[in-house]
Amino acid sequence: MSAFPNSPKLLKAGIVVADVATSTIQRVISLQYNPDTLTRSLAPQALASDEKDRSEALRLKGPAVETIKLEAEIDATDQLADPDNNPDAVQFGIHPQLAALEVLAHPSSTDLLANSALEAQGMLEIIPMESPLLLFVWSRNRITPVRLTDFSITEEAFDPDLNPIRAKISLGLRVLSVDDLGYQHPGGILFMNYLAQKEQLAARSVSAALSVLGLNANPLGGRS
């Protein structure tokens, strides 16, 4: 029991794996410890710099390309201290937790074998395999479809059988927008909700007075 029973419950960040066709949840991957930092980059989709039409200078072609970078830790120390209730940690260390993330970077073995069988039958065109839809969840206010772009693991400690028992992971994610998925795709709908929520939060940010910037009047000549 917590020494502070009235303290708020700590939410975990993680990834939800969903089936696109049915929108059913296949797996929820919760990070053991929330990262201390989350790096996000947004690249606006402006028109190409070689465009000569000055009337197009302020136009955007679509949503900004957003990328997310985070580092997290996985540690089996607590589980190994209670071996009777954590037999998997004793037998495998943190292999299962790492594998749950690693399989997100691969097509399934079933899909690979199915494509191999089609090739053996002489199929001239093999449709690329579709991965599940990944949703990155960082609180209720940030739920967005993503693609895993890079993933690295640094294993730092091992048990006597060389099972990893402590590791640092680095995840690179790219937010998938309606440009990638379309407006009717479940992920596209989720992205639009994500964008609308940003706009609602932005509306809560109070606009500063021009005087804060050292200006006494609208620099464009219009109303302040």
Side-chain angles (χ1 to χ4, degrees):
M1 184 174 178
S2 171
F4 303 97
N6 295 324
S7 61
K9 181 180 178 180
L10 179 64
L11 297 179
K12 296 295 186 70
I15 295 174
V16 175
V17 184
D19 180 86
V20 176
T22 63
S23 294
T24 56
I25 304 303
Q26 296 179 335
R27 177 188 291 271
V28 177
I29 302 173
S30 171
L31 298 181
Q32 185 178 8
Y33 307 108
N34 287 336
D36 292 330
T37 60
L38 178 73
T39 302
R40 299 188 299 120
S41 300
L42 283 82
Q45 290 199 74
L47 293 179
S49 59
D50 58 355
E51 294 284 350
K52 302 301 182 182
D53 189 348
R54 293 176 180 174
S55 66
E56 303 296 313
L58 301 180
R59 295 189 183 276
L60 298 173
K61 295 188 292 185
V65 177
E66 182 176 357
T67 55
I68 299 170
K69 193 79 173 180
L70 62 93
E71 295 184 353
E73 296 183 2
I74 302 176
D75 194 327
T77 301
D78 291 342
Q79 289 82 359
L80 292 175
D82 186 12
D84 292 340
N85 291 319
N86 297 281
D88 280 352
V90 175
Q91 183 176 359
F92 303 110
I94 59 173
H95 268 310
Q97 294 92 326
L98 294 178
L101 290 167
E102 289 181 64
V103 296
L104 301 179
H106 299 280
S108 71
S109 57
T110 301
D111 286 343
L112 287 170
L113 290 172
N115 267 11
S116 177
L118 290 175
E119 289 177 348
Q121 295 170 16
M123 295 291 292
L124 297 179
E125 182 177 357
I126 304 298
I127 299 176
M129 292 158 284
E130 185 173 23
S131 64
L133 176 64
L134 305 182
L135 309 178
F136 177 62
V137 180
W138 187 280
S139 84
R140 302 181 186 92
N141 295 322
R142 292 186 189 174
I143 305 173
T144 183
V146 295
R147 176 190 296 128
L148 181 64
T149 56
D150 60 270
F151 176 37
S152 65
I153 305 169
T154 303
E155 298 178 1
E156 298 183 321
F158 304 86
D159 66 14
D161 295 324
L162 291 184
N163 292 310
I165 57 174
R166 188 175 70 246
K168 290 183 179 179
I169 61 173
S170 176
L171 285 174
L173 306 169
R174 180 184 180 277
V175 173
L176 297 177
S177 73
V178 288
D179 281 355
D180 304 296
L181 301 171
Y183 287 88
Q184 303 305 316
H185 188 283
I189 294 172
L190 190 61
F191 172 81
M192 290 302 294
N193 292 337
Y194 173 66
L195 182 58
Q197 193 163 38
K198 284 180 181 289
E199 293 167 349
Q200 293 167 8
L201 290 171
R204 291 177 174 271
S205 176
V206 179
S207 178
L210 286 173
S211 58
V212 172
L213 307 180
L215 302 177
N216 296 322
N218 184 339
L220 296 176
R223 295 178 59 185
S224 299

